[in-house]
Amino acid sequence: MSTNVTKAIRRSNDFVIKFANVNGSGSASANELFARAIINMGVPVAPRNIFPSNIQGMPTWYEMRVSASGWLGRRGGCDLMVAMNPQTWDRDIAELESGGYLVYDSTKTLPRSRFREDITVLGVPLTEICNREYTDPRQRQLFKNIMYVGSLTALLDIEFAVVEKLIAEQYRGKDKLIGANVNALRLGYDYARTHLDCPIGLRVERSDGVGDRIFVNGNDACGLGAVYGGATVAAWYPITPSTSVIEAFSGYCRKFRTDPDNGMARYAVVQAEDELASIGMVIGAAWNGARAFTATSGPGISLMQEFFGLAYFAEVPVVVFDVQRGGPSTGMPTRTQQSDLISCAYASHGDTKHVLLFPEDPYECFTLGAQAFDLADRLQTPVFVLLDLDIGMNDRLCQPFDWDDQRRYDRGKVMSADDLEAGKNFGRYLDVDGDGIPWRTIPGTHPNKGAFFSRGTTRNAYAKYSETGTDYVYNMERLRRKFETAKSLLPASVLRRASQPSRFGAIYYGSTGPAMDEAYALLKKQGIEIDALRVRAFPFANEIIDFINEHDYIFVVEQNENGQLRMLLINEGEIDPKRLFRVLHYDGTPITAGFISGRIADILAALKVKIPSLVTPALSPNRQQVAS
């Protein structure tokens, strides 16, 4: 079946395609293959996998933004829907923009009432072709996915050889699989070329917009960053969406941390019985001198609270990768949010404050992930790397990873056996230079000097147990000085100035970055000149507070319901809450540029702020997002 509408969307290298599949059908690899094909045509792509929190049988979607302009944030809406799941048919059809395109399995005839009059319908009898060509049920399912990739290759005018080459690379050394997949690809391609009008109004034209960027997800980047950062021990308990951090670390360690002479592993990866045990193992390994870490998500952070306090007060350097998801409680395990800031910043009871890093993309997951281990050692404290599901589990184009081979690990203030033997004054919690950071020793450095035990109770500067108030106050004030010292060591914020002086400023962090980049351009088109500051770490450097004080209106853009970054800014910077305006998105989908620009324009309109040529863009219903 093929029907066309008069006002069909016609764009090259600028559209959104969405695949509606069933979880466990093998569609994920086919959809990723299609995304890589467009990238190999030189066109930037930003895909997002939207999957359920079960193993098989539930609806799943793969949304892919094709953008010659290089926008990597989610746009919202859909221009081409590949509808392969009857259960979600009505919902999927409704999501299409007017003038969009529908590709579906036309083996079974559907009445016209199941379609919309304002879209182009393109039917491919995938099941019929599969039943004719294959006898094995699993092959029929898997090759159906490759067939629709073939049809899309024809419909969007993608070079067949590009997809064929990717299949050869994917199944290198398995010639039978290469031939079978290329045959299925050809079947779908030839059907579309013979029976449908190819190409359609949406086209992929060869370009050079990708450059030398790589296509990788944040969790893999964190795993590699941990290897380059010197980690040798990881203890964890499986939890979505952080599990693949450990899987990546294990894979890279097998490659880089295995003795080439005897095959012995120079690393340890331990799956603990629960999250509490895993962080306990990490603290033990780190206290003993290893660079150690865990990876978890919000529920794991909740369970680890008491041990975070121990690491903070005993001053043990550990690293925690927190891949955030929707909460509270079990929440939305396979949806994205930025909802763990408060729980990580003040993790554990008592007066605790922790160092947080906020990577924007896989490149920063790698660089900040590696840097976290230097910071933990230098500051002798837990360091949290806060990414989220959108960065962690979705492949993203980013600049290639780089590493200075001359770089040496910063172990901080560690006394050697020679220092101890020479009679240097060693007080495990003694502040000798005013930065709040004491000297430490690795257990076993000296047979009878240095530190051999740690405890989470109060003590004096020489680690002797004490319940004296002055000793407690000394340690707490020293820890506060250490927190101030951290400000000078953390990655600086990224500032983008408007083309002219502006009263308006926006503060954001993490995975909000790609959408904010585009929103910045949209706001400028509306006449709203705005300065933007991407925060990359906590505690907040003075430059962040100065940025707030420079502007009359500050918009804090984040993906949670409570406005947790805003809360931290108010608490730590002693900022008047009335000066910080919430731009909050928290339905579990990644924030969009349209939402950010629309929300900021709405706030300014409500405040009756006069702006020359202020026009709120009209978004289609499919591009509207949940407002706060």
Side-chain angles (χ1 to χ4, degrees), residues 26-104:
S27 60
S29 60
N31 296 341
E32 183 180 331
L33 173 74
F34 185 70
R36 291 182 180 276
I38 298 177
I39 289 172
N40 282 15
M41 291 280 289
V43 183
V45 165
R48 285 172 171 83
N49 193 13
I50 306 166
F51 59 98
S53 56
N54 74 333
I55 297 174
Q56 190 167 344
M58 294 292 286
T60 184
W61 293 269
Y62 190 85
E63 182 180 282
M64 185 188 313
R65 183 177 187 182
V66 180
S67 173
S69 301
W71 302 125
L72 299 180
R74 182 170 177 263
R75 192 199 73 182
C78 172
D79 303 307
L80 193 161
M81 175 68 71
V82 182
M84 300 298 293
N85 187 355
Q87 293 178 336
T88 60
W89 176 272
D90 292 336
R91 171 180 173 181
D92 297 331
I93 300 298
E95 194 170 345
L96 269 168
E97 299 281 352
S98 181
Y101 300 82
L102 170 71
V103 175
Y104 80 109

Side-chain angles (χ1 to χ4, degrees), residues 167-226:
I167 290 174
E169 292 173 355
Q170 183 171 329
Y171 296 108
R172 183 179 290 115
K174 302 176 181 178
D175 292 345
K176 288 185 178 180
L177 289 177
I178 294 174
N181 278 274
V182 170
N183 179 64
L185 183 75
R186 174 64 69 180
L187 287 169
Y189 182 87
D190 287 346
Y191 182 89
R193 295 279 294 180
T194 303
H195 298 89
L196 303 174
D197 293 331
C198 296
I200 58 174
L202 303 176
R203 299 184 64 179
V204 177
E205 296 182 352
R206 182 167 283 281
S207 181
D208 58 358
V210 174
D212 65 349
R213 285 183 289 179
I214 61 175
F215 193 52
V216 64
N217 66 64
N219 283 359
D220 281 357
C222 286
L224 186 60

Side-chain angles (χ1 to χ4, degrees), residues 4-5 38 144 167 185 189 234 247 257 330 340 358 365 367 389 400 424 467 489 497 512 536 617:
N4 292 283
V5 296
I38 298 177
K144 183 190 296 186
I167 290 174
L185 183 75
Y189 182 87
E247 292 171 346
R257 294 215 190 288
T330 306
D340 294 348
F358 307 128
C365 286
T367 56
L389 184 146
K424 279 194 173 181
E467 293 187 12
L489 303 175
R497 288 289 186 188
T512 302
R536 296 205 295 164

Side-chain angles (χ1 to χ4, degrees), residues 403-435:
W403 187 261
D404 182 0
D405 290 333
Q406 303 303 312
R407 176 175 170 177
R408 295 293 177 263
Y409 297 141
D410 183 354
R411 298 308 300 261
K413 296 179 178 178
V414 180
M415 277 196 181
S416 66
D418 290 342
D419 293 332
L420 294 168
E421 191 63 33
K424 279 194 173 181
N425 182 22
F426 175 70
R428 175 63 187 94
Y429 299 109
L430 182 66
D431 186 1
V432 296
D433 54 13
D435 66 358

